[in-house]
């Protein structure tokens, strides 16, 4: 399999197919509907140590989209926080330099006195990686869900909507700078959760570059259902339970291999 860097350099990764994008909604509804029966199993995940977790929603989504994850993490014993910046409208929500998002992170860090884990969905995951570079001393780890973290924005089915809503063109120098910044390995442990049947973001571009402090976890599901997918929630719980100074890659031994097919490398 070609490396992530090679694929991105060749620019050969295409946006997900029309079939995948058209079936996003029904698949996401099925994933959300599976939560009640999966709840007893999910609550057996490793318990939290009370450290703060900041949740960053995807493009055009609000804090409501992160509600299931917020509730789940609270039950496990974490201290979850919404980003409190409203709907994710790109720089219109976070500021031209991400200053509003940085201020929110600083607020949580000052309040708790502990490093903050970041969980970002889609564009929220890209923003989480940006935060990890601006405030590495404040962040414990980064977890992204179906985020466009490598490659070109045109490998998504949302780039036209992004341009329309934000007014920021793909050839804008600032946009190019932000995309380029997002491609580097984060300075903190980072895990990318992705699905090969993602209908919005090309799964090849949703993976972390390989390093000693990065990992990729493949799940089966849609893009719009990642925040309510039981396999995703369990994986997030597993990652957050890693010791602050003892992070290790996700284990796929035994029955886990049936749920989590590969690391995608």
């Amino acid at each position: 399999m070609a490396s992530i860097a090679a694929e991105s350099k060749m620019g050969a990764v295409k946006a997900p197919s029309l079939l995948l994008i058209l079936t996003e909604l029904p698949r996401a509804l099925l994933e959300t509907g599976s939560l009640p029966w999966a709840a007893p199993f999910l609550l057996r995940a490793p318990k939290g140590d009370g450290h703060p977790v900041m949740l960053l929603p995807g493009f055009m989504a609000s804090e409501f989209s992160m509600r299931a994850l917020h509730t789940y993490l609270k039950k496990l014993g974490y201290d979850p926080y919404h980003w409190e910046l409203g709907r994710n409208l790109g720089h219109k929500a976070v500021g031209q330099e991400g200053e509003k998002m940085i201020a929110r992170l600083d607020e949580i860090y000052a309040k708790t006195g502990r490093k903050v884990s970041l969980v970002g969905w889609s564009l929220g995951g890209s923003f989480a990686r940006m935060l990890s570079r601006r405030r590495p001393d404040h962040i414990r780890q980064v977890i992204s869900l179906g985020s466009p973290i490598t490659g070109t924005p045109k490998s998504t089915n949302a780039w036209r909507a992004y341009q329309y809503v934000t007014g920021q063109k793909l050839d804008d120098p600032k946009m190019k700078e932000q995309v380029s910044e997002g491609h580097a390995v984060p300075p903190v442990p980072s895990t990318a959760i992705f699905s090969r049947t993602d209908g919005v973001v090309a799964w090849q571009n949703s993976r972390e570059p390989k390093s000693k402090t990065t990992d990729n976890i493949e799940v089966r599901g849609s893009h719009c259902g990642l925040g309510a997918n039981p396999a995703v929630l369990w994986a997030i719980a597993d990652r957050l339970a890693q010791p602050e100074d003892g992070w290790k890659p996700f284990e796929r031994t035994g029955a886990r291999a049936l749920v989590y097919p590969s690391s995608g490398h």
Side-chain angles (χ1 to χ4, degrees), residues 9 12 32 68 75 93-94 129 151 154 238 254:
K9 186 176 181 179
T32 303
K75 287 183 178 296
V94 305
R129 290 164 64 85
K154 286 194 175 182
D238 178 276

mmCIF file of all heavy atoms in Angstrom, residues 9 12 32 68 75 93-94 129 151 154 238 254:
data_model
loop_
_atom_site.group_PDB
_atom_site.id
_atom_site.type_symbol
_atom_site.label_atom_id
_atom_site.label_comp_id
_atom_site.label_asym_id
_atom_site.label_seq_id
_atom_site.Cartn_x
_atom_site.Cartn_y
_atom_site.Cartn_z
ATOM 1 N N LYS A 9 0.908 13.430 -2.063
ATOM 2 C CA LYS A 9 1.759 14.118 -3.015
ATOM 3 C C LYS A 9 1.277 13.900 -4.433
ATOM 4 O O LYS A 9 1.301 14.800 -5.275
ATOM 5 C CB LYS A 9 3.198 13.612 -2.854
ATOM 6 C CG LYS A 9 4.209 14.367 -3.703
ATOM 7 C CD LYS A 9 5.614 13.874 -3.412
ATOM 8 C CE LYS A 9 6.631 14.638 -4.246
ATOM 9 N NZ LYS A 9 8.010 14.192 -3.973
ATOM 10 N N ALA A 12 -3.873 11.859 -5.995
ATOM 11 C CA ALA A 12 -4.726 10.894 -6.672
ATOM 12 C C ALA A 12 -5.990 10.545 -5.885
ATOM 13 O O ALA A 12 -6.847 9.836 -6.383
ATOM 14 C CB ALA A 12 -3.933 9.618 -6.953
ATOM 15 N N THR A 32 -26.874 5.809 15.162
ATOM 16 C CA THR A 32 -27.423 6.483 16.337
ATOM 17 C C THR A 32 -28.442 5.593 17.045
ATOM 18 O O THR A 32 -28.481 5.513 18.271
ATOM 19 C CB THR A 32 -28.094 7.808 15.931
ATOM 20 O OG1 THR A 32 -27.128 8.636 15.250
ATOM 21 C CG2 THR A 32 -28.621 8.550 17.142
ATOM 22 N N ALA A 68 -24.145 13.177 22.581
ATOM 23 C CA ALA A 68 -24.038 11.768 22.974
ATOM 24 C C ALA A 68 -22.654 11.469 23.542
ATOM 25 O O ALA A 68 -22.510 10.790 24.560
ATOM 26 C CB ALA A 68 -24.334 10.860 21.783
ATOM 27 N N LYS A 75 -20.311 9.997 32.045
ATOM 28 C CA LYS A 75 -20.634 8.764 32.770
ATOM 29 C C LYS A 75 -19.382 7.933 33.071
ATOM 30 O O LYS A 75 -19.329 7.229 34.083
ATOM 31 C CB LYS A 75 -21.643 7.928 31.963
ATOM 32 C CG LYS A 75 -23.061 8.490 31.966
ATOM 33 C CD LYS A 75 -24.007 7.579 31.222
ATOM 34 C CE LYS A 75 -25.432 8.109 31.267
ATOM 35 N NZ LYS A 75 -25.989 8.136 32.635
ATOM 36 N N ALA A 93 -16.236 31.089 13.160
ATOM 37 C CA ALA A 93 -16.516 30.627 14.520
ATOM 38 C C ALA A 93 -15.284 30.701 15.409
ATOM 39 O O ALA A 93 -15.362 31.111 16.565
ATOM 40 C CB ALA A 93 -17.039 29.187 14.495
ATOM 41 N N VAL A 94 -14.128 30.310 14.881
ATOM 42 C CA VAL A 94 -12.937 30.192 15.728
ATOM 43 C C VAL A 94 -12.019 31.407 15.685
ATOM 44 O O VAL A 94 -11.106 31.534 16.512
ATOM 45 C CB VAL A 94 -12.120 28.929 15.357
ATOM 46 C CG1 VAL A 94 -12.990 27.698 15.418
ATOM 47 C CG2 VAL A 94 -11.472 29.072 13.982
ATOM 48 N N ARG A 129 -5.932 19.658 15.786
ATOM 49 C CA ARG A 129 -4.513 19.551 15.436
ATOM 50 C C ARG A 129 -3.856 20.930 15.438
ATOM 51 O O ARG A 129 -2.706 21.084 15.860
ATOM 52 C CB ARG A 129 -4.373 18.885 14.070
ATOM 53 C CG ARG A 129 -4.730 17.406 14.082
ATOM 54 C CD ARG A 129 -4.955 16.891 12.671
ATOM 55 N NE ARG A 129 -3.759 16.947 11.859
ATOM 56 C CZ ARG A 129 -2.815 16.011 11.821
ATOM 57 N NH1 ARG A 129 -2.945 14.937 12.575
ATOM 58 N NH2 ARG A 129 -1.768 16.134 11.032
ATOM 59 N N GLY A 151 -3.696 15.532 2.483
ATOM 60 C CA GLY A 151 -4.258 15.674 1.141
ATOM 61 C C GLY A 151 -4.836 17.051 0.873
ATOM 62 O O GLY A 151 -4.544 18.024 1.553
ATOM 63 N N LYS A 154 -10.171 19.278 -1.790
ATOM 64 C CA LYS A 154 -11.061 18.802 -2.846
ATOM 65 C C LYS A 154 -11.276 17.290 -2.788
ATOM 66 O O LYS A 154 -12.048 16.742 -3.577
ATOM 67 C CB LYS A 154 -10.526 19.208 -4.219
ATOM 68 C CG LYS A 154 -10.713 20.704 -4.495
ATOM 69 C CD LYS A 154 -10.504 21.042 -5.953
ATOM 70 C CE LYS A 154 -10.823 22.507 -6.226
ATOM 71 N NZ LYS A 154 -10.667 22.859 -7.658
ATOM 72 N N ASP A 238 -11.102 4.162 25.125
ATOM 73 C CA ASP A 238 -9.823 3.454 25.251
ATOM 74 C C ASP A 238 -8.645 4.416 25.139
ATOM 75 O O ASP A 238 -7.690 4.342 25.911
ATOM 76 C CB ASP A 238 -9.728 2.388 24.160
ATOM 77 C CG ASP A 238 -8.402 1.637 24.182
ATOM 78 O OD1 ASP A 238 -7.417 2.144 23.603
ATOM 79 O OD2 ASP A 238 -8.347 0.553 24.785
ATOM 80 N N GLY A 254 -7.495 -10.361 19.354
ATOM 81 C CA GLY A 254 -8.713 -11.079 19.714
ATOM 82 C C GLY A 254 -9.943 -10.562 19.001
ATOM 83 O O GLY A 254 -9.935 -10.240 17.804
#
